[in-house]
Amino acid sequence: MNGGDEVAAAPAGPPQSLDWKFSQVFGERTAGEEVQEVDIISAIEFDKTGDHLATGDRGGRVVLFERTDTKDHGVPRRDLERMEYPIGRHPEFRYKTEFQSHEPEFDYLKSLEIEEKINKIRWCQTANGALFLLSTNDKTIKFWKVQEKKVKKISDMNLDPSKAVGNGSIASSSTPKLCLANGGSPDRSYNYLGNDFSFPPGGLPSLRLPVVVTSQETNLVARCRRVYAHAHDYHINSVSNNSDGETFISADDLRINLWNLEISNQSFNIVDVKPANMEDLTEVITSAEFHPTHCNTLAYSSSKGSIRVIDLRQSALCDSHAKLFEEPEAPGSRSFFTEIIASISDIKFARDGRYILSRDYMTLKLWDINMDSGPVATFQVHEYLRPKLCDLYENDSIFDKFECCLSGDGLRVATGSYSNLFRVFGCAPGSTEATTLEASKNPMRRQVQTPSRPSRSLSSITRVVRRGAENPGVDANGNAFDFTTKLLHLAWHPTENSIACAAANSLYMYYA
């Protein structure tokens, strides 16, 4: 600066809209290929480092992928990004392993089939190079350890194990033989180890017993460490592990249970919304998640569109909430579908724990946990479907449960839609980013930037509404809507602008 004059830095505007590119696809379908029900992906989750990705499917399998480009030029990728070092390669993952997590079961007491479909996967803290994760179906949660084990082989034998020698022929014989005293046999051939074996002249100098040795080869082994069963009368919709690394919660329609990872035969019921008379039931729990850093705080959503934050320090049974977040109903807007479309299908805490993102059928809402008067931003996802709610109710699509996710820096949110589309919105102050992408190798193929209009403001906090297209016969890009292809599950990489999403049995990955 000349003469000590300081130049005031211009205020930073909202971040630029991201340019999304296709990265990878696993399990891509060929044209006309029929999708098997068991292969449809039902859960996706990155671990905290972003170096591993897990998917679960309706066949009860868990598939793990690992990142292959974490090191470039000998320096970890994240360090290169901080140094603004040019990186030529995009994030890449490769198949690591898979295992059968759940099998179909039958509850004989209730005459109820329990399907093997994986509802949720959650990564736990790693230890000693092993990966740990929780997976759940409708009734049973399992704690898995995945570790590389060295292959053990038998070596140092007198005889060539590839030849049929020794008493193998005797052991394989099912016909009883007459034996004499001291193990002799009237059949001369049975006094030898085998018909094709003879001792070398002078006999064997020494007898070497087989030795099991550990080779340098390794293979991945998945082992179930714990099974947490018989704690839920209704279908489990959520599992969330605590920041203390020791406990986790599981939630069904009416109860939330607290578990210790090391104790599988007991859990503590911390939320119970079941009324004394089931006819008085007005709402159910739809999703639950622990705060990312406060081990005493968790949030759960309901079918009435409300989010409750509870504090485990207040009481053992947390039926009374510490905070309640809900948006008041607009007068005169009530209809038969009001409660159905208000039901929250998924909630996620932002990485810093300050915000909660919720997804209902029509919108994404961003809530500030310090402001319970209403959401700080609302993103319209399915507004153009409002005239078609009757059709959606008839074909049950109105009950589809779409997931949502936030970027690691908290500047963007994403959720899925029909026709294998997903939407990315900017939630930074002043941002008008509203991008629609298709889960295919050309994500921008049907891209039309949808207009964004800011809504009313409340004191110093701006509430924002992003709207999609208003034509009821088409989707946000002007294409005919396909309710049979829906993108329900997606996850945002914890540290980079990379999204993994599931379209039926295919896993698509994108980066920006």
Side-chain angles (χ1 to χ4, degrees), residues 371-388:
M371 192 185 92
D372 53 10
S373 59
V376 294
T378 299
F379 309 97
Q380 300 290 355
V381 181
H382 282 163
E383 185 60 31
Y384 46 84
L385 289 178
R386 199 172 289 277
K388 298 177 74 70

Side-chain angles (χ1 to χ4, degrees), residues 282-284 286 302-306 329 333-346 359-363 365 382 386 388-402 418:
T282 58
E283 64 181 330
V284 295
T286 57
S302 84
S303 57
K304 276 194 167 180
S306 60
E329 193 179 303
S333 64
R334 189 164 185 81
S335 72
F336 173 76
F337 304 109
T338 300
E339 278 198 15
I340 300 176
I341 61 175
S343 177
I344 294 174
S345 56
D346 191 27
R359 171 72 153 97
D360 57 46
Y361 190 72
M362 305 298 280
T363 66
K365 292 188 175 86
H382 282 163
R386 199 172 289 277
K388 298 177 74 70
L389 290 178
C390 194
D391 296 337
L392 293 163
Y393 179 76
E394 289 293 326
N395 63 21
D396 283 345
S397 293
I398 201 170
F399 302 107
D400 287 335
K401 292 175 170 55
F402 292 93
Y418 294 105

Side-chain angles (χ1 to χ4, degrees), residues 170-176:
I170 300 174
S172 63
S173 173
S174 58
T175 310

Side-chain angles (χ1 to χ4, degrees), residues 61-64 96-101 130-133 135 143-149 219-226:
R61 293 180 299 256
V62 171
V63 182
L64 305 185
K96 186 177 178 76
T97 188
E98 68 179 84
F99 55 91
Q100 189 71 33
S101 173
L131 303 172
F132 294 89
L133 47 93
S135 63
F143 183 46
W144 291 92
K145 177 181 182 181
V146 182
Q147 191 174 28
E148 281 197 346
K149 296 266 189 179
N219 62 355
L220 280 161
V221 178
R223 193 161 62 90
C224 185
R225 294 283 306 277
R226 304 267 188 283

Side-chain angles (χ1 to χ4, degrees), residues 483-495:
F483 296 118
T484 60
T485 55
K486 56 195 82 167
L487 200 149
L488 301 176
H489 311 286
L490 76 173
W492 201 302
H493 191 282
T495 59

Side-chain angles (χ1 to χ4, degrees), residues 459-474:
S459 66
S460 61
I461 299 174
T462 304
R463 295 172 184 264
V464 180
V465 178
R466 306 267 197 279
R467 300 194 184 278
E470 305 297 336
N471 185 345
V474 296

Side-chain angles (χ1 to χ4, degrees), residues 310-322:
I310 60 175
D311 190 337
L312 297 174
R313 298 171 298 186
Q314 285 185 340
S315 65
L317 190 60
C318 303
D319 287 341
S320 58
H321 51 265

